[in-house]
Amino acid sequence: MRYVMPYFAPSLGYVARRLKGGSCKVVAIADNIIPHERHIIDRPFTKYFLSGLDGCVTLCDAVAEDLRKWAPELPSKVIFHPLYSHFGEKLPREEAERILGLTPGMKNLLFFGLIREYKGLDILLKAFDTLPEDYQLIVAGECYGPFDKYQELIDASAAKDRIHLFRHYIDDADVKNFFSAADLTVLPYRSATQSGVSSASYHFEVPMVVTAVGGLKETIGDTGTGLVADRVDAQSVAERIIEYFSDASLREKCVGSIRRERERLSWTGFSRELLKFADEL
C-alpha cells in the first residue's frame, strides 16, 4: 500500500486488517508518517494504520526516524525514492524557452510542483527580489489553498516582470518544458521528507538548491547534486543561488553527481529491494 497522509489511514487500515494473516503480507510504502501540515486526526489515524501492517518501507532516513517513534517494533527498511523516467527526453533549452515564453539568455530558476505552505514559495519570492536582473523565476504548479499572499509578494516586487507563473496542474507531457528551460531547481521547503520534484530534476540533470530540512540534505547535499541553504530563510537561499552561478565548475560537479545517482536510483533496484524485504517478513 502507498501511504501519503493520515486522511487515508481509516480506509487503508481497514483493508490491511482484512488482508493480513495467512499467506498475505501487508507492506506500506510510506512517503510520510506524520504530514507536513498537522491535524488532530494524525495520532489516532496513524497508529490505527501502522498497527495493521506486517512491514513498512520508507523513502528516506527522516521518515524512518518518524516511523521508529510511532511503531518501534514494526519491521522496516529504507529504500530511497527511485527516479521518474516517464517525462520524455530533455528539449533544447532554446525550444523550451520559446514554448514557455521566457526571455532567452537569462539565469532560469524553477519552482515546480504543488504549491503548499510548507514548500516555501514565499521564501523564494523574497530571495528572488534580491537577485540581479539577469535572473528569471519560473513558478509551475497548482496552488493548494489561496494564492493571495504569493500574489501580493509578486505585485510588490521590483522583479515581477521576470516572474513567470504557470498556476495549474502540469501534465506529464509538459514537465519536460520546464526542466529543459531551467538552470537550477529551487526547493526552499520549511519541512520535508523526500521530494518527487528532486527525482524529476535528476531525470533532466538539473542541479538544485534546497534547504537543510528532512531528507533533502542527505539526498541532495550529501550526494553533491546541489547546494544546501543553512537556514530556512530568503537570505540563505539567495546566497546559495548566487554561489551556484558564481562558480562555473559547480554545475559540472553537480551534473556529474546527478548522473551517478541516476544509475543508483533505478526502479528495477527499488523493486528488487522491496520484494526482498517482503520475502524476509
Side-chain angles (χ1 to χ4, degrees):
M1 295 180 169
R2 189 71 181 267
Y3 184 70
V4 180
M5 62 178 68
Y7 177 83
F8 300 104
S11 58
L12 293 178
Y14 177 88
V15 173
R17 280 163 171 73
R18 278 146 187 81
L19 291 174
K20 188 177 178 182
S23 61
C24 185
K25 300 171 184 175
V26 181
V27 179
I29 302 174
D31 291 66
N32 302 291
I33 298 299
I34 295 300
H36 302 286
E37 294 150 346
R38 304 297 177 87
H39 299 281
I40 194 170
I41 65 171
D42 293 346
R43 179 175 292 275
F45 280 21
T46 299
K47 291 178 74 69
Y48 172 74
F49 174 71
L50 293 177
S51 64
L53 301 177
D54 291 300
C56 186
V57 167
T58 63
L59 304 176
C60 70
D61 291 333
V63 177
E65 291 178 9
D66 288 339
L67 178 63
R68 284 191 287 270
K69 295 174 185 176
W70 285 81
E73 303 301 321
L74 183 66
S76 64
K77 183 179 181 65
V78 177
I79 311 176
F80 287 99
H81 198 305
L83 302 186
Y84 295 130
S85 56
H86 61 288
F87 295 130
E89 297 299 317
K90 191 170 185 175
L91 299 175
R93 177 192 176 99
E94 295 78 11
E95 181 181 349
E97 289 179 328
R98 177 184 58 78
I99 291 171
L100 299 178
L102 304 177
T103 303
M106 304 277 278
K107 298 180 177 72
N108 294 336
L109 307 178
L110 174 64
F111 179 97
F112 188 87
L114 193 63
I115 300 170
R116 299 178 68 176
E117 172 67 21
Y118 78 87
K119 292 191 175 184
L121 175 58
D122 54 322
I123 296 172
L124 178 54
L125 289 170
K126 293 173 184 176
F128 184 73
D129 210 24
T130 68
L131 298 177
E133 294 183 0
D134 57 343
Y135 286 80
Q136 60 186 342
L137 174 61
I138 308 159
V139 178
E142 190 175 11
C143 190
Y144 190 86
F147 192 76
D148 297 358
K149 75 170 186 176
Y150 306 114
Q151 191 62 58
E152 289 174 5
L153 288 171
I154 293 169
D155 291 341
S157 173
K160 62 183 177 182
D161 292 338
R162 293 182 280 115
I163 300 173
H164 303 267
L165 297 178
F166 300 85
R167 284 178 48 200
H168 56 81
Y169 175 78
I170 309 300
D171 291 330
D172 285 356
D174 296 327
V175 171
K176 62 180 179 294
N177 299 336
F178 296 93
F179 285 92
S180 298
D183 292 299
L184 191 65
T185 305
V186 185
L187 287 72
Y189 293 3
R190 291 183 167 87
S191 64
T193 47
Q194 65 287 318
S195 170
V197 175
S198 65
S199 180
S201 205
Y202 277 176
H203 175 69
F204 292 102
E205 296 187 351
V206 181
M208 287 157 278
V209 162
V210 303
T211 44
V213 296
L216 293 181
K217 183 179 184 299
E218 65 184 276
T219 56
I220 308 301
D222 293 350
T223 61
T225 57
L227 302 179
V228 179
D230 298 328
R231 304 179 308 282
V232 184
D233 62 31
Q235 180 181 350
S236 188
V237 170
E239 287 171 355
R240 294 292 81 76
I241 292 171
I242 291 173
E243 179 185 351
Y244 175 80
F245 286 101
S246 65
D247 184 351
S249 67
L250 263 181
R251 181 187 183 280
E252 184 178 344
K253 292 176 182 176
C254 289
V255 170
S257 296
I258 287 173
R259 288 172 179 167
R260 288 190 291 274
E261 286 296 283
R262 287 181 63 177
E263 293 179 10
R264 184 175 71 89
L265 299 174
S266 69
W267 284 98
T268 299
F270 181 88
S271 301
R272 185 182 299 115
E273 290 298 314
L274 177 61
L275 292 172
K276 181 181 176 182
F277 173 69
D279 288 341
E280 292 171 349
L281 292 175

